[in-house]
């Protein structure tokens, strides 16, 4: 049977409709998921929620030794928080009511209160700020949609940029240990506790990191949030602590801290001369990294610390103070000019201390430097002794 031109013309609109339908159907198919750029944009734009509560499972492996413990956490955007930690049969409670932070050891019934800075970053802000730092130092190399404890999440993999030398670092503070990321210098050296791989599982709705792993250089850190509630309404009583529950309690006043651009500026701000070593007394590669003044109200003492740092994050610090430190390091007697000081080896490095009239000085040099570094720097200072 033949088909005429008129039949073909009448069929064209129908074919066109079929093609439009097929094309629309293809456009409606689900995509392969968010791209790294999409997720980066979401992380950057995310704001912390008002409240978070959860049970956190923590696993930490350092040089083959693994520690596990559990935290029950309640965090508020205004800075209030409560963390109850169970580890190896010990229980501690840390409560920040916005004005002060209580540390309570349940077994010993000993409570210690620290005054808190009203301008300090809240725990929730710090968690989200950490994600920004990952984006600054790492590349997103993988994104996967998955679940954690019943929550829809993005599993995001961060790795150091390929074929690129990283000359600066960021840090993650886990309890009292600071882990520096990613720790590659322009000379290719590796500093302590480098981490070369990070994975974060983000809640898709709030971008809260419900799981977090860091790996590298003999360290594996993992935090997993279970029973997570976001903006669920936390009772204000969670952020209160009654010191009467403790048989012993004490209050520790934190120092006021100021940063200075130059040694001269620090010298003008404090009631004593700030000792500064000459450049030729310092090991090669050290540069002045920070100048910080501390006013210890509880000790009626002020000090200024000059921190020198290498690209590999090794440090030498020089401290001048108008009073002795409460927790001074002891050591062996050593001559410094016309006075006698002490020098000691610690877990971090060499510490040298001495006094000169009403001035107190110390020099610290990390283990990367030879044993005589602290003494050479100390003897180079013009302290009037």
């Amino acid at each position: 049977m033949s088909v005429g031109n008129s039949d073909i013309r009448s069929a064209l609109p129908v074919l066109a409709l079929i093609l439009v339908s097929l094309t629309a159907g293809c456009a409606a198919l689900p995509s392969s998921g968010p791209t790294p750029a999409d997720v980066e944009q979401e992380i950057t734009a995310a704001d912390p929620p008002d409240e978070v509560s959860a049970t956190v499972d923590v696993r930490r492996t350092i040089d083959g030794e693994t520690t596990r413990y559990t935290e029950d956490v309640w965090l508020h955007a205004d800075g209030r928080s409560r963390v109850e930690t169970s580890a190896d049969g010990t229980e501690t409670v840390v409560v920040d009511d916005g004005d002060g932070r209580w540390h309570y050891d349940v077994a010993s019934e000993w409570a210690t209160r620290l005054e808190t800075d009203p301008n300090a970053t809240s725990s929730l802000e710090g968690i989200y700020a950490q994600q920004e730092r990952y984006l600054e130092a790492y590349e997103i190399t993988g994104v996967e949609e998955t679940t954690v404890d019943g929550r829809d999440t993005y599993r995001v993999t961060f790795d150091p940029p390929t074929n690129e030398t990283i000359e600066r670092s960021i840090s993650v503070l886990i309890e009292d240990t600071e882990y520096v990321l990613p720790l590659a210098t322009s000379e290719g050296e590796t500093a302590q506790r480098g981490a070369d791989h990070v994975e974060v599982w983000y809640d898709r709705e709030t971008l809260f990191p419900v799981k977090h792993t860091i790996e590298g250089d003999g360290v594996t850190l993992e935090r997993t949030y279970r029973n997570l509630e976001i903006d669920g309404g936390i009772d204000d009583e969670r952020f209160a602590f009654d010191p009467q529950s403790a048989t012993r309690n004490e209050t520790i006043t934190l120092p006021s801290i100021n940063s200075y651009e130059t040694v001269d500026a620090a010298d003008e701000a404090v009631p004593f001369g700030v000792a500064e070593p000459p450049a030729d007394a310092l090991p090669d590669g050290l540069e002045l990294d920070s100048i910080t003044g501390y006013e210890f109200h509880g000790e009626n003492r002020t000090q200024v610390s000059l921190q020198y740092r290498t690209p590999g994050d090794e440090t030498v610090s020089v401290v001048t103070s108008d009073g002795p430190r409460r927790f001074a390091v002891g050591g062996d007697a050593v001559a410094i000019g016309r006075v006698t000081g002490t020098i000691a080896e610690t877990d971090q490095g060499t510490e040298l201390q001495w006094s000169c009239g009403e001035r107190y000085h110390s020099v610290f040099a990390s283990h990367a430097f030879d044993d005589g570094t602290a003494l050479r720097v100390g003897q180079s200072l013009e302290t009037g002794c």
Side-chain angles (χ1 to χ4, degrees):
M1 182 179 67
S2 63
V3 180
N5 290 336
S6 61
D7 295 324
I8 294 175
R9 286 194 295 270
S10 63
L12 286 176
V14 177
L15 290 172
L17 286 173
I18 293 173
L19 289 172
V20 170
S21 298
L22 290 173
T23 305
C26 291
L29 291 174
S31 67
S32 59
T35 67
D38 295 334
V39 172
E40 180 172 347
Q41 186 175 9
E42 288 193 48
I43 295 171
T44 303
D47 292 321
D50 289 333
E51 298 177 346
V52 165
S53 62
T55 297
V56 186
D57 294 328
V58 182
R59 178 174 62 89
R60 178 176 60 187
T61 301
I62 301 176
D63 298 332
E65 184 175 345
T66 299
T67 302
R68 299 176 185 269
Y69 57 92
T70 300
E71 298 176 342
D72 291 317
V73 303
W74 295 265
L75 310 175
H76 198 284
D78 63 10
R80 292 178 297 164
S81 64
R82 183 184 187 97
V83 179
E84 299 178 359
T85 304
S86 299
D88 298 328
T90 63
E91 296 181 43
T92 57
V93 178
V94 179
V95 180
D96 193 327
D97 60 12
D99 296 321
R101 180 176 300 159
W102 287 98
H103 294 248
Y104 178 53
D105 186 305
V106 176
S108 64
E109 298 184 345
W110 186 5
T112 303
R113 183 179 185 275
L114 298 173
E115 292 185 358
T116 53
D117 182 354
N119 299 316
T121 300
S122 71
S123 297
L124 281 175
E125 290 174 326
I127 289 172
Y128 278 70
Q130 185 64 62
Q131 312 315 310
E132 293 275 2
R133 289 193 286 272
Y134 289 150
L135 293 175
E136 292 174 1
Y138 287 86
E139 287 184 352
I140 295 179
T141 56
V143 176
E144 176 188 358
E145 292 183 341
T146 183
T147 60
V148 174
D149 197 37
R151 281 188 170 268
D152 292 335
T153 62
Y154 298 127
R155 179 183 179 179
V156 180
T157 302
F158 297 89
D159 287 301
T162 56
N163 301 321
E164 181 178 333
T165 300
I166 301 164
E167 297 185 4
R168 60 187 178 83
S169 62
I170 60 174
S171 62
V172 178
L173 188 64
I174 306 293
E175 293 183 335
D176 57 352
T177 304
E178 186 175 41
Y179 299 91
V180 182
L181 318 172
L183 299 175
T185 71
S186 56
E187 289 78 20
E189 300 171 351
T190 301
Q192 295 180 354
R193 298 301 176 203
D196 52 23
H197 184 78
V198 175
E199 289 186 353
V200 184
W201 286 252
Y202 293 100
D203 175 63
R204 292 188 211 172
E205 182 178 354
T206 63
L207 279 300
F208 184 85
V210 298
K211 186 176 179 181
H212 184 169
T213 65
I214 301 174
E215 297 177 351
D217 197 20
V219 176
T220 301
L221 304 170
E222 181 178 288
R223 292 175 65 86
T224 305
Y225 288 74
R226 296 185 291 105
N227 305 321
L228 177 66
E229 289 191 22
I230 295 177
D231 292 339
I234 302 174
D235 190 333
D236 286 344
E237 289 300 315
R238 287 287 186 187
F239 306 120
F241 180 79
D242 181 8
Q244 299 301 318
S245 61
T247 57
R248 296 184 298 166
N249 64 74
E250 62 178 327
T251 298
I252 298 175
T253 303
L254 295 179
S256 300
I257 302 175
N258 294 293
S259 296
Y260 303 101
E261 292 294 328
T262 64
V263 175
D264 287 342
D267 199 78
E268 293 177 3
V270 297
F272 52 81
V274 177
E276 179 183 13
D280 59 4
L282 296 168
D284 293 339
L286 278 174
E287 292 187 3
L288 185 59
D289 182 66
S290 64
I291 306 168
T292 310
Y294 301 85
E295 187 175 354
F296 297 89
H297 304 285
E299 303 176 38
N300 193 28
R301 180 173 70 87
T302 301
Q303 78 174 41
V304 173
S305 298
L306 309 183
Q307 189 86 357
Y308 298 85
R309 193 179 301 274
T310 68
D313 223 33
E314 302 297 345
T315 60
V316 168
S317 62
V318 177
V319 177
T320 309
S321 176
D322 59 2
R325 290 187 296 175
R326 178 180 293 180
F327 303 106
V329 177
D332 299 324
V334 63
I336 305 167
R338 293 176 293 174
V339 300
T340 300
T342 61
I343 192 167
E345 293 295 324
T346 70
D347 291 339
Q348 293 76 37
T350 304
E351 179 113 18
L352 174 70
Q353 301 177 108
W354 73 99
S355 61
C356 177
E358 296 181 353
R359 298 292 173 265
Y360 295 79
H361 304 275
S362 68
V363 174
F364 168 83
S366 58
H367 283 309
F369 302 106
D370 65 63
D371 294 342
T373 298
L375 187 58
R376 285 196 301 274
V377 173
Q379 290 176 333
S380 74
L381 298 176
E382 295 292 338
T383 63
C385 293

